[in-house]
Amino acid sequence: MVAALGCGHILQHGFRILSLGLLFFWVMWSYTCEDRKGDGRPLPRPFSQLHMPNSDGLTDQTPKPNNPKVSPASAINDPGFSADEWDQMLKVVHWGGPDRQITTASMSTSPNHSTFVINDLKGSYYLGEELHVTIVAKDFTKTPKSYGGDFFQAKVYSDKLKASVFGEVLDHQNGTYSARFTLPWVGLASVAVRLIHSSEAVQALKRHQSTDSNRVFFSGYYVGNDPQGAQVEERMVCNIKWEGVVLSSKKDCCCEYQDAHTGLTWQCLKPQTLPCNALVYHSIGGKHFTMTALEQELMDSQHVNRWLKGDSRLIRVMDSNTTIGVRESCKPGLPTPIPSGFYMNDVWTSFVCAARHFAADDTTQCLKDKHIHIMGDSTCRQWFDFLIHAVPTLKRMDLHSAYQVGPQMAVDVENNIDLHFRSHGLPLRSAKAPVVSLHYISNEIDNLAGGPHTVVIFSMWAHFTNYPLSYYAYRVLLVRRAVVALLRRAPETKVIIKSANTGYKDIFTGDWYSMQLDRILREAFRGVGVYILDVWQMTACHYNTEDIHPAPMIIKYEIDILLSFICPK
């Protein structure tokens, strides 16, 4: 993953920067020509039809920081994504869609009229065999669709056995889809397919991702004395500084805070009385609801996350000599198959590697003499909280910090364990917290010595879903540079990435957004020598009501795999 720049690469890099600069000025000119509200936000437009985005949110230009001259120490030998890597990233996030303008919701995929059928159902199957299903998308007039782009999820399950397995769905781009399943348990099973979003709704999600990043905004709290000497606090709108994310069209509107190590810039509208250096606190500000009437209909409960009516015939699975499960020891770089595992009697069995189930004593023994650094969002913080409860001798320290932001710490003096949590930094949808507590993951990793007793765990997705994919890709690039440097200086360090999980289905943090980010993250770390812990399939196929913060029983099996990575057989 480490590349060296030759003369041709340098010239190509220069042309990319020039192209990006011209694109930036065009965007800025277009922005200033738009009608605006008094606070600088675009006036909502009464769209009578759904306009198709021109791209998937990524361009053929690799992402750049605001200050391309910044060269973090961890990136000395890794200038960024290569052209081949970037091309592959464009491919993994590509998503088909309508080949026509959508003027009414009746043209969209109907969960009531779309259906599925089991292909060539047999009287019985043997354990480990595959099952194939065809999904047919129809609109609200019962007309079969002629194009793809619907977001379906499928599973085989048994309520009686508390068993389920995730299925792989292939889009044929003609209104039909194939779902493939492995049958991993003996007994009866059924097929279930649900429409998460129609292809028309996905087009709306794409549009908002590339043009409407301010639909989630943040607050910066400036604290100080006014000219009369009275202490005041001014709350101002803040957000990232990136192409397409504009707080105001007014010149000299904002205070800017650039991180010297990463080149990332955070910006806030200037307070009326206090200086820019009076910024003390941060929190989520709110959400702008900017969908058109058609988009709102496409995203309502009648269209989103609906189970299809389809083939209800039972599948009978017989025992065989096939061994279900994986015997290979857990090691970095293993791919995530589909399925990555399955539930049986509410217990998860992994197909990635020989994961095992840990009791309290086993967990303590595994973490003994370990320095564990967990960084990311609240789904990663769930692991921090779970481990404290799983290890009775691990005691939480009161650092008087903000719970959502950190830093948090727990220690077990007897077993020499120290466990840390810190959020991934801005942007973070959190309660009010000191802005100085928000550290970028890449900077934190750059400050770690690493070694055989160090475990680094991180996740970053849920708070990035409203931004252009180019911004997320750059954030991932920064972390990859830091991880590459860490593994170079301390190869025995274990680096574990928690994938996205399913949860929300809305315009702000929907599963389709999360899936796109997850694809970028996995592609960026391909071949780097890290562990990727897939929880997407674990949350998508479980019978429990989906929540962005999974139920404790699911967290337990996530932790089992985590510990299997740290302490393989």
Side-chain angles (χ1 to χ4, degrees), residues 468-486:
L469 291 179
S470 59
Y471 175 75
Y472 179 74
Y474 183 68
R475 290 294 294 268
V476 170
L477 168 62
L478 292 172
V479 177
R480 189 183 77 168
R481 287 173 171 175
V483 168
V484 167
L486 172 64

Side-chain angles (χ1 to χ4, degrees), residues 175-191:
T176 66
Y177 303 77
S178 296
R180 178 188 63 84
F181 306 92
T182 296
L183 301 174
W185 66 81
V186 173
L188 298 178
S190 302
V191 175

Side-chain angles (χ1 to χ4, degrees), residues 95-109:
W95 195 273
D99 56 5
R100 65 204 70 180
Q101 296 293 350
I102 305 302
T103 56
T104 67
S106 64
M107 299 173 67
S108 69
T109 304

Side-chain angles (χ1 to χ4, degrees), residues 416-428:
N416 195 32
I417 304 169
D418 56 276
L419 177 67
H420 306 262
F421 170 79
R422 184 184 283 277
S423 72
H424 54 55
L426 299 166
L428 190 74

Side-chain angles (χ1 to χ4, degrees), residues 293-354:
L294 174 56
E295 290 173 340
Q296 290 180 48
E297 190 171 358
L298 292 171
M299 294 294 293
D300 69 21
S301 59
Q302 298 303 309
H303 295 76
V304 171
N305 198 28
R306 296 286 304 277
W307 295 100
L308 303 189
K309 297 175 182 177
D311 199 331
S312 61
R313 290 177 293 175
L314 293 176
I315 303 139
R316 187 178 301 276
V317 184
M318 311 294 288
D319 202 359
S320 72
N321 294 326
T322 301
T323 299
I324 292 297
V326 181
R327 295 288 178 262
E328 184 177 9
S329 179
C330 298
K331 59 186 179 182
L334 290 175
T336 301
I338 299 178
S340 63
F342 70 100
Y343 289 103
M344 177 65 174
N345 294 322
D346 233 355
V347 175
W348 179 262
T349 298
S350 175
F351 286 155
V352 176
C353 61

Side-chain angles (χ1 to χ4, degrees), residues 58 61 160 168 177 232 463 563:
L58 287 172
Q61 305 296 324
K160 181 179 179 179
E168 181 178 25
Y177 303 77
V232 296
H463 298 253
L563 295 173

Side-chain angles (χ1 to χ4, degrees), residues 424-443:
H424 54 55
L426 299 166
L428 190 74
R429 303 171 192 176
S430 69
K432 190 175 180 181
V435 71
V436 296
S437 296
L438 293 157
H439 297 186
Y440 294 120
I441 288 178
S442 54
N443 289 348

